[in-house]
Structures are given as structure tokens and as C-alpha cells.
Amino acid sequence: MLTFLGFLMIIIFMVLIMNKKMTPLTALVIVPVIIALIAGFGPELGDMMKNGVKEIALTGVMLIFAILYFSLMIDTGLFEPLVKTILKAVGDNPVKTTIGTAILTTLVSLDGDGSSTYIIVVAAMLPLYKRQGLNPLVLTCIIMLAGGIMNILPWGGPTARVMSSLKLGHTEIFVPMIPIMVLGILWVVFVAYILGVKEKKRIAKHGKYTHYSNSDIAGEADPKLLRPKLIWINLGLTLILLTVMILDLVPLGIAFMIAFCIASVINYPKLKDQQKIMSKHAGNALSVAGMIFGAGIFTGILNGSGIMQAMGNSMIDIVPKSWGGSLNIITAVFSVPLTFFLTNDAYYFGILPIIAATGQQLGIPPDVLGRASLVGQASHLLSPLVPSTYLLVSLAGVEFSDHLKYTLKWAIGSSIVMLLGALLLGII
């Protein structure tokens, strides 16, 4: 019954947002609350939601001030030289722009933090997409594909969870995955090339894309807010912030909060200008934060009610016992839907140990199953349970449902490429 309710909850949520009957925020809150009440979890509902929001609180704070900080830096013109340099390199060629997006995302993703990658790459590339008239869905698609591959880095999250769950080291889990990651990135560059060619043909036939949102991170340019004389100070402050982030010296949310306050005072000493910046970007920051806290309620109810664990166990139970010898391949294939419908914590700490224990009885080493479980990461970031996904779509000014429909087939393609590569190279 719990499994049925879990899948019913996610299916209803997906149908509502794909058909644009509800915003992601309202669906994330209302759907799980109704299902939990029907399931008889009314008395525990408050604690479940509170725990879910507490889990996500620091992430929400970080995203609010990260958006405010980088939006302010865009207003000051910090990224203008970078945009002009990239524009000079790619010219008016959409193919070079999309391939450049894939390469830039891959490089920025080396820090292992998806949220900061999204903010930096969208801030740098969206103005370029606007000048060339490219569909912003192409931008979010390429960023998410590259981010999904780079998410396998040991400091990215999933791999660390695998190592912790199975008590193995990075030499057993991550190092053998490097060739698969290289293959995955080549696939992303290939997809970027295809999407660039399609956009080039579309522009030649129908003209440039113009339906950009005023609420995206680039927003409407205001020449009065430019601060060209302070560009080196702003660059220095941003580099210090990124260094603090990489070295993990203070919590990231606090670092962005302090950096935003310092940047506001330096660039806009007058109170009315500071208020103008805040009001200009508050809507975008609030919409992202709302969806993040909504996702906290959604996952809080899934976890607190035991629904998530039941869903994972049921998906394992449907595999016939006679298929046990192919558990490595089954684990890799099932990692796609399991990491889509479950959080990484639920999958890697709740489900993977059960798979590993089963594999031990069948003579399949845990490191093989650990690597197989990472194949699904290529599609994981599209999950409605991943908070940073809402950040990406808000920054680019696109609908979550449109992004999901546009990107899904390419993300599944990434998983297939990684699975075939892992099998051919004997990694799983």
C-alpha cells in the first residue's frame, strides 16, 4: 500500500506540472499532504514536514543569497567581458555556443557543487543565448546533462554515499568510473552539437527566439546599475567567495550572505540603490526558495511515512530470482528509475546495501554493484526531488515541465551510453 501511495503521489505530481495545472511549489506541498492524510498519517504530518524543511533549510538560504549575489554581479557588468570574449570566440554560431556551454559546465562542475555551477554557467551563457536568439531550454538541457555526468566526482555526493554505504574507497568505486565519465562527456558534447545544429536551422527558418522571461537571472539590463570602474574589486570578491566555497571554510549560505552584503555596500552605497537591487531580484530568489522548501515537505513526507523505503524495496522485489546472475546489469538499469523516484540518500543508504547483500550471496563483488548504481546519475538531476533542478529552471526563466520534456530523452541517452560503455569496458 505504501509503495502504491508513493508512486501515486509522484505520478499525480508529474501529471499536474506537465499539464501545467499547478505550479511546482503548490504541487510539491498539496499532493503529498493529501496523500499522507488519506494514508492515515495526519497526527505525524507536522513533524514529517518540519523535519523535511529543516533538512533543506541551509540549502534554501544558500540559494536565496547566491541568486542575489550573482544577480547583483550581472547588474554591475562583471560578466560582460567574459560574454564579449566568448562571443568573439564563437561569433554568431549557435553550434559553437552550445558546445562551449557543454565544455564550460564540465569545467565549472569540477567543484562538485551543482547549485554554484548552475548559477555561474547560466550567468555567463544566458546573455549570449539571448543575443543569438537561442532557446533557453537548450541551455538548461546541456547544463543538466554535463552536470549529471560530473556529479559522479567523489566530492559531488553520490559516489561519496556509495563509498560510505559499502565501506569502500575511491580507488574501488570512482577511479574505474573515470573512462565512463569521459565517454559521458563526449556524449554531452555530441548532444550539444546536435542541438546547436537544430537551433541554427530553426533560426534560419523562423528567426531568433524572443520569448525570454524577465525573471531570469540576466533580467532586463539597466545601464544605471553598471559599475565598470569596480570590475576588479567585484572579480576579487567573487574569487574570494569561490575559494571559500571550494575550501569549505564557512557554510556556503553564510558565505553568500556576507558576500552579498559587502557587494551591495561597495557597488551601491546609496540606500535607494540597494533597495532597488533587492526588489529587482527578490521575486526570483523567493520563487526558488519556495520550491526548495516545497521539495523539503515532499521528501519529508516520503521519508517520514516510510513510503520512500517501501518504493525502493518493492522495485527490488519485482526482479525474478532467476535473474540474480545478472544483478550487476539489473542494478545499473534500475538505478535510472530508482534515483529518479528516490533521493540519493534513500537509494544509496537504504536500497544499495540490500542489493550488495544479495550480490554477496550470488558472488558479485560490492564494488561492481556500487559502480553499477552510479549509472543512473546521468538522469538523476531531472528528478523533481532534486532541489537544485528548480534553481536551474528559475535562473534560465523556463518552466520545470518544459525542461523535463525537452531534456528527458537526452538524459536517458546519457544513461544508455554510460551503461553500454561500462559493460563493454568491463567496469560493471
Side-chain angles (χ1 to χ4, degrees), residues 147-354:
I149 306 298
M150 297 302 286
N151 202 32
I152 297 173
L153 289 167
W155 49 91
T159 304
R161 288 177 174 89
V162 173
M163 293 188 294
S164 175
S165 176
L166 301 182
K167 296 178 175 58
L168 295 170
H170 72 281
T171 52
E172 295 147 303
I173 298 296
F174 172 66
V175 174
M177 290 294 291
I178 293 174
I180 304 304
M181 289 182 67
V182 172
L183 193 63
I185 291 300
L186 290 175
W187 160 257
V188 174
V189 172
F190 176 63
V191 171
Y193 170 78
I194 293 173
L195 296 178
V197 170
K198 284 176 128 182
E199 281 298 284
K200 193 173 183 179
K201 289 179 180 176
R202 184 191 58 75
I203 291 169
K205 190 174 181 181
H206 301 292
K208 293 183 175 182
Y209 184 92
T210 55
H211 307 298
Y212 296 101
S213 169
N214 288 335
S215 66
D216 60 42
I217 195 171
E220 287 292 324
D222 186 347
K224 293 178 183 177
L225 296 176
L226 291 172
R227 295 292 184 269
K229 292 179 181 178
L230 295 173
I231 191 165
W232 290 109
I233 293 173
N234 288 326
L235 179 60
L237 182 61
T238 304
L239 291 175
I240 290 169
L241 176 61
L242 294 175
T243 303
V244 168
M245 180 182 73
I246 292 166
L247 297 178
D248 198 20
L249 299 177
V250 295
L252 199 50
I254 305 301
F256 272 114
M257 192 183 292
I258 294 169
F260 171 69
C261 293
I262 293 172
S264 296
V265 173
I266 290 173
N267 288 281
Y268 307 106
K270 293 180 181 177
L271 181 61
K272 65 175 185 178
D273 289 335
Q274 291 177 23
Q275 290 172 333
K276 184 178 181 180
I277 287 289
M278 187 71 81
S279 60
K280 181 182 179 184
H281 302 296
N284 197 13
L286 181 61
S287 80
V288 173
M291 286 189 285
I292 298 301
F293 290 120
I297 286 178
F298 196 96
T299 54
I301 291 173
L302 278 175
N303 284 320
S305 62
I307 287 175
M308 193 170 284
Q309 187 70 31
M311 289 167 64
N313 291 337
S314 297
M315 289 187 79
I316 291 172
D317 290 340
I318 67 172
V319 179
K321 296 283 189 290
S322 58
W323 292 10
S326 303
L327 188 62
N328 53 337
I329 299 173
I330 293 167
T331 300
V333 172
F334 269 73
S335 69
V336 178
L338 281 168
T339 55
F340 186 86
F341 290 115
L342 308 177
T343 62
N344 273 340
D345 284 337
Y347 177 56
Y348 289 115
F349 292 125
I351 307 304
L352 184 58
I354 299 171

Side-chain angles (χ1 to χ4, degrees), residues 364-384:
I364 301 175
D367 60 313
V368 170
L369 296 173
R371 293 193 293 269
S373 71
L374 290 168
V375 170
Q377 286 303 309
S379 308
H380 169 69
L381 294 179
L382 265 180
S383 169

Side-chain angles (χ1 to χ4, degrees), residues 80 82-93 96-98 100-101 104 121-134 139 208 212 218:
E80 275 298 305
L82 176 62
V83 171
K84 286 176 181 174
T85 302
I86 297 173
L87 192 59
K88 197 177 288 183
V90 302
D92 200 25
N93 190 331
K96 288 182 179 178
T97 301
T98 52
T101 303
L104 180 63
V121 178
V122 175
M125 298 303 295
L126 186 58
L128 197 62
Y129 275 64
K130 285 186 172 183
R131 291 182 196 186
Q132 294 187 348
L134 305 181
L139 175 63
K208 293 183 175 182
Y212 296 101

